[in-house]
């Protein structure tokens, strides 16, 4: 853990300065909670201006965070933040303020909730829509062990669009264990929430009154104020006009619905949460309306409410973004897909609530009728793509590697078994830096290359990415995938449009002797640096090849490398069981491992690597130019002699 960082706002946040743990929050008089929230917002803004990270979501839940810790007895009462990207104010109030300026830095605090970091983080999260399931598990465990603590799950309206949330609610409604779900409805997740759910929330909220339906909701809100209680009665008639007489969707699923409540009004929040805490009921859903980016004008005015920011000037909101030296891989993918779509009107693009993150906002502007944002619903998105493919369309599903994991059964059952030509554009492949292991694209080579009939490609540079988009567009007899990293390309000269590659054929980058490197993916640049270093320092010329395909393998290329070199090093930005395993399986079957060549596999280690700068993370994994060169030296007689000399 890094050293404690000084807190510059000490003295300027007098009430917050007295808070070490939530126990101190519970001691704050109710008339001072507004001051505490204001100071907490100030501290959150200042901290993120130093580190960068997720800002808008945290600003939207400042009052809610204060109210929860004021009302509930955390950590005995379990508080689960869905996704966890809104938890910075929570971290400040739970004994981590002295480290808050280490957020997302090497050795510092995680940008999400993390069990190993604090007892106030009872469940780690960085993917959406898990909180209700986890909370229900905790509630059932509590009741089986005769406990009496509360379990609170805070989930956003965007996360509520995922099927997993409804699976959990359906189960919770049937089990009837006491569970408090707080729906944080800010009408905006990363991108505007898609589908009927967002409109449903908006209809409930329209009219401006604090509405609640059913007798239980009246009971819970009744203690707040006479005016609010009267508003409930007025809202009853309104809501019945647009909902089934039996009640709201949530009540149909077995929840007692309360709300909507103004999530920035502590005079309303605190009493409602107290009543929810004390109610002797089964699962309760408290619907809270918040504003993402609340209280910071630049965030409120921004289209994404400053969802994710780099370091910034607090006074102006101006972010400190470096000038890119080359287009990002994400942009290269999107631009090439647009070019292919201009030639082929059967090409369609699909994203799961990440149009900006995947670059498909560019595609959406050019081809709005052929772009589909399915919401936070990767499972649905993959099967939706399979349905499109079954009718002759050419779907490109652009999904981060870490999020595609959520739809693996659909990839297997709905795509691979049926040999449907869905094209998977896998962004954020490899290690991603500050977001840490929850967002690392470590496993897609392994989990896709094991599937029969899949073509799996990995781009070594931005030109190769263009070629792989073009290649994938031509594959009509089965599924294909191409992976590419986060960040900028290598600055290569770009062709006008991508070229179609021969399936299963790699390329020779440079020919040498003694040692060979067979690379898959974006470590090619580091491999070239290693080769240059070995030539300059030791006069050792090594062969370097780019596999391009993890499946099907280039058998001829592998034979050539194995038969003409002392040592062969396999390099991939993926977990054990991936490309290297497939190469070694082939070599064993082909008799290439019968004492002819030393083989080393350099893949991601069998552990989850904590957040740090990507270069640091790859060095730990043995994939820096220095580590690659050292591996090559150690595997040849000439290299060992050079080391001894």
């Amino acid at each position: 853990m890094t050293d404690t960082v000084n807190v510059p706002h000490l003295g300027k946040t007098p009430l917050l300065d007295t808070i070490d743990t939530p126990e101190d929050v519970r001691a704050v008089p109710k008339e001072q909670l507004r001051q505490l929230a204001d100071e907490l917002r100030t501290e959150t803004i200042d901290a993120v201006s130093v580190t960068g990270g997720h800002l808008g979501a945290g600003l939207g839940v400042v009052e809610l965070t204060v109210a929860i810790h004021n009302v509930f007895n955390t950590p005995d009462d379990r508080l689960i933040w869905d996704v966890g990207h809104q938890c910075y104010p929570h971290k400040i109030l739970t004994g981590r303020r002295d480290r808050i300026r280490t957020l997302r830095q090497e050795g510092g605090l995680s940008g999400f909730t993390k069990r190993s970091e604090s007892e106030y983080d009872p469940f780690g999260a960085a993917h959406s829509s898990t909180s209700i399931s986890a909370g229900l598990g905790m509630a059932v465990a509590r009741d089986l062990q005769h406990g009496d603590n509360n379990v609170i799950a805070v989930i956003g309206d965007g996360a509520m669009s995922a099927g997993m949330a409804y699976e959990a609610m359906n189960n919770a409604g049937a089990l009837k264990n006491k569970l408090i779900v707080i729906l944080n409805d800010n009408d905006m997740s990363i991108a505007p929430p898609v589908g009927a759910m967002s409109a449903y929330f908006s209809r409930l909220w329209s009219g401006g009154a604090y509405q609640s339906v059913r007798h239980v909701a009246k009971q819970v809100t009744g203690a707040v104020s006479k005016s609010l209680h009267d508003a409930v009665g007025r809202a009853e008639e309104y809501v019945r006009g647009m909902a089934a007489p039996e009640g709201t969707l949530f009540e149909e699923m077995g929840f007692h619905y309360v709300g909507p409540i103004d999530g920035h009004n502590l005079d309303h929040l605190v009493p409602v949460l107290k009543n929810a805490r004390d109610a002797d009921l089964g699962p309760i859903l408290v619907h809270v309306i918040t504003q993402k980016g609340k209280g910071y004008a630049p965030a409120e005015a921004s289209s994404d409410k400053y969802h994710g920011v780099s370091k910034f000037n607090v006074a102006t909101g101006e972010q400190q973004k470096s000038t890119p030296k080359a287009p990002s891989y994400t942009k290269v993918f999107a631009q090439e897909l647009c070019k292919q779509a201009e030639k082929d009107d059967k090409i369609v693009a699909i994203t799961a609530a990440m149009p900006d993150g995947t670059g498909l906002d560019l595609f959406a502007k050019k081809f709005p009728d052929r772009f589909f944002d399915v919401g936070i619903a990767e499972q649905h998105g993959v099967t939706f793509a399979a349905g499109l493919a079954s009718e002759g369309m050419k779907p490109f599903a652009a999904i981060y590697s870490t999020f595609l994991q959520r739809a693996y059964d659909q990839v297997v059952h709905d795509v691979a078994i049926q040999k449907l030509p869905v094209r998977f554009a896998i962004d954020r492949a490899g290690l991603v830096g500050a977001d840490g292991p929850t967002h690392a694209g470590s496993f897609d080579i392994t989990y896709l290359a094991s599937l029969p009939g899949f073509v799996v490609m990995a781009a070594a540079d931005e030109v190769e990415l263009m070629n792989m988009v073009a290649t994938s567009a031509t594959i009509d007899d089965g599924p294909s995938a191409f992976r590419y990293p986060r960040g900028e390309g290598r600055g290569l000269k770009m062709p006008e449009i991508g070229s179609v590659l021969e399936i299963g054929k790699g390329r020779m980058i440079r020919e040498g002797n003694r040692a060979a490197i067979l690379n898959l993916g974006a470590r090619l640049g580091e491999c070239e640096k290693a080769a240059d270093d070995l030539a300059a320092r030791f006069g050792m010329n090594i062969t370097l090849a780019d596999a391009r395909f993890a499946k099907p393998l280039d058998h001829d290329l592998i034979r050539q490398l194995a038969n003409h070199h002392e040592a062969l090093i396999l390099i991939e930005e993926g977990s054990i069981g991936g490309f290297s395993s497939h190469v070694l399986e082939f070599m064993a079957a082909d008799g290439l491992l019968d004492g002819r060549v030393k083989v080393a596999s350099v893949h991601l280690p069998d552990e989850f690597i904590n957040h740090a700068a990507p270069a640091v993370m790859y060095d730990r994994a043995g994939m820096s130019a220095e580590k690659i060169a050292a591996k090559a030296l150690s595997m040849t007689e000439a290299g060992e002699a050079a080391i001894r000399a």
Side-chain angles (χ1 to χ4, degrees):
M1 187 62 65
T2 58
D3 294 334
T4 295
V5 176
N6 291 330
V7 181
H9 270 288
L10 287 174
K12 297 181 181 180
T13 52
L15 184 53
L16 183 60
D17 296 347
T18 68
I19 304 297
D20 292 321
T21 68
E23 187 174 356
D24 299 321
V25 178
R26 291 188 280 276
V28 174
K30 63 179 182 180
E31 59 271 14
Q32 289 187 283
L33 290 177
R34 176 73 266 163
Q35 177 186 346
L36 178 59
D38 291 342
E39 293 181 10
L40 180 59
R41 178 170 279 109
T42 296
E43 176 68 350
T44 301
I45 293 168
D46 189 88
V48 181
S49 76
V50 173
T51 65
H54 295 97
L55 180 62
L59 296 183
V61 297
V62 165
E63 287 82 5
L64 182 59
T65 304
V66 168
I68 289 172
H69 284 302
N70 178 260
V71 169
F72 292 97
N73 186 33
T74 53
D76 291 339
D77 287 342
R78 310 295 195 231
L79 172 59
I80 308 163
W81 295 98
D82 205 283
V83 185
H85 63 306
Q86 75 283 63
C87 70
Y88 301 176
H90 161 78
K91 294 196 178 199
I92 292 169
L93 295 181
T94 54
R96 288 171 274 184
R97 186 187 182 191
D98 63 343
R99 291 179 288 150
I100 199 64
R101 287 165 183 78
T102 70
L103 270 170
R104 297 159 52 87
Q105 313 300 307
E106 182 181 359
L109 295 177
S110 169
F112 305 95
T113 53
K114 191 173 185 179
R115 279 175 56 86
S116 62
E117 188 177 288
S118 172
E119 63 180 336
Y120 293 96
D121 294 356
F123 199 81
H127 291 184
S128 82
S129 315
T130 62
S131 60
I132 304 176
S133 298
L136 180 60
M138 292 179 183
V140 170
R142 172 201 64 206
D143 294 344
L144 289 173
Q145 299 174 87
H146 309 293
D148 62 357
N149 60 298
N150 287 285
V151 179
I152 310 100
V154 183
I155 183 169
D157 58 317
M160 190 67 91
S161 71
M164 184 176 179
Y166 291 95
E167 294 173 15
M169 291 183 70
N170 182 60
N171 193 197
L175 292 177
K176 302 188 185 307
N177 298 80
K178 173 71 179 291
L179 170 68
I180 299 170
V181 174
I182 299 175
L183 172 58
N184 173 38
D185 181 5
N186 57 37
D187 201 34
M188 176 177 285
S189 53
I190 297 174
V194 176
M197 187 51 55
S198 181
Y200 178 74
F201 294 151
S202 298
R203 288 199 305 272
L204 275 178
W205 181 237
S206 63
Y210 297 100
Q211 301 141 15
S212 175
V213 296
R214 322 298 283 157
H215 171 72
V216 172
K218 291 181 182 179
Q219 187 179 36
V220 174
T221 59
V224 178
S225 68
K226 184 177 186 302
S227 61
L228 180 54
H229 189 266
D230 291 344
V232 168
R234 294 194 301 271
E236 184 88 297
E237 184 176 350
Y238 168 77
V239 174
R240 283 185 182 279
M242 62 87 185
E246 292 76 20
T248 68
L249 168 65
F250 303 113
E251 290 183 314
E252 285 295 298
M253 300 186 77
F255 274 71
H256 301 289
Y257 173 85
V258 182
I261 303 297
D262 183 351
H264 300 297
N265 190 324
L266 287 158
D267 291 335
H268 294 159
L269 269 179
V270 170
V272 167
L273 292 180
K274 283 182 177 178
N275 280 279
R277 176 195 67 191
D278 298 336
D280 185 17
L281 300 168
I284 299 171
L285 186 137
V286 180
H287 184 181
V288 173
I289 303 295
T290 62
Q291 179 185 357
K292 197 172 183 181
K294 175 72 172 179
Y296 185 51
E300 291 180 0
S302 172
S303 61
D304 69 350
K305 306 301 180 188
Y306 277 41
H307 171 75
V309 296
S310 55
K311 299 175 183 180
F312 64 93
N313 182 302
V314 174
T316 65
E318 182 179 359
Q319 298 184 47
Q320 300 175 17
K321 293 186 177 180
S322 59
T323 303
K325 298 176 183 177
S328 71
Y329 282 96
T330 299
K331 187 174 182 180
V332 170
F333 155 69
Q335 290 176 334
E336 178 64 22
L337 186 62
C338 287
K339 292 175 184 177
Q340 295 295 328
E342 288 172 354
K343 299 193 306 176
D344 189 341
D345 62 7
K346 290 187 179 296
I347 289 177
V348 295
I350 300 158
T351 184
M354 298 295 289
D356 294 342
T358 59
L360 288 184
D361 54 333
L362 298 177
F363 188 97
K365 290 174 184 175
K366 281 197 166 189
F367 309 101
D369 295 337
R370 292 153 63 185
F371 167 76
F372 304 94
D373 183 348
V374 299
I376 302 177
E378 290 85 2
Q379 292 173 290
H380 160 63
V382 169
T383 303
F384 172 63
L388 283 161
S390 72
E391 292 295 320
M393 300 303 290
K394 296 184 175 182
F396 280 76
I399 303 175
Y400 291 5
S401 172
T402 184
F403 297 148
L404 186 59
Q405 295 164 184
R406 313 191 86 186
Y408 189 57
D409 180 61
Q410 286 69 32
V411 173
V412 176
H413 181 270
D414 300 335
V415 176
I417 289 176
Q418 302 189 91
K419 299 180 180 179
L420 289 170
V422 176
R423 290 90 172 157
F424 293 95
I426 304 176
D427 204 332
R428 270 60 167 184
L431 302 175
V432 295
D435 283 337
T438 57
H439 282 61
S442 305
F443 308 109
D444 57 90
I445 300 173
T446 300
Y447 68 64
L448 291 179
S450 62
L451 299 178
F454 239 98
V455 174
V456 181
M457 299 173 271
D461 54 55
E462 59 268 48
V463 175
E464 284 292 285
L465 176 56
M466 293 177 66
N467 295 338
M468 288 173 184
V469 176
T471 302
S472 201
T474 68
I475 299 174
D476 292 323
D477 58 352
S480 57
F482 49 93
R483 73 191 312 255
Y484 47 98
R486 180 179 188 174
E488 298 174 7
R490 298 179 60 193
L492 304 183
K493 183 178 180 181
M494 308 284 280
E496 185 63 31
I497 195 167
S499 300
V500 176
L501 304 174
E502 183 179 353
I503 302 299
K505 290 298 179 182
R507 57 176 176 156
M508 192 69 76
I509 304 299
R510 63 174 75 176
E511 294 193 55
N513 51 40
R514 297 191 179 275
I517 295 175
L518 179 57
N519 167 79
L520 178 78
R523 302 315 290 168
L524 181 62
E526 290 298 299
C527 293
E528 290 180 334
K529 290 178 185 177
D532 290 342
D533 180 60
L534 290 171
R537 291 179 16 180
F538 303 105
M540 182 177 174
N541 295 314
I542 67 171
T543 297
L544 177 57
D546 177 30
R548 282 178 166 161
F549 293 84
K551 191 172 188 178
L553 292 172
D554 188 339
H555 293 167
D556 291 339
L557 179 60
I558 295 169
R559 289 191 185 104
Q560 179 183 351
L561 298 176
N563 288 328
H564 296 91
H565 298 86
E566 290 179 44
L568 173 60
I569 303 170
L570 309 172
I571 294 180
E572 63 180 307
E573 300 167 298
S575 67
I576 189 171
F579 168 70
S580 298
S581 295
H582 285 258
V583 172
L584 289 168
E585 181 80 15
F586 164 71
M587 292 180 71
D590 208 53
L592 297 174
L593 294 179
D594 299 341
R596 301 183 188 180
V597 60
K598 295 180 183 178
V599 183
S601 174
V602 180
H603 50 70
L604 295 181
D606 192 24
E607 63 182 79
F608 292 105
I609 302 176
N610 283 329
H611 59 277
V616 172
M617 299 173 80
Y618 277 119
D619 184 68
R620 289 178 186 167
M623 295 185 192
S624 63
E626 181 182 2
K627 295 284 179 67
I628 294 169
K631 174 66 72 174
L633 276 174
S634 69
M635 293 180 66
T636 62
E637 293 181 7
E640 290 176 350
I643 293 172
R644 288 194 297 271

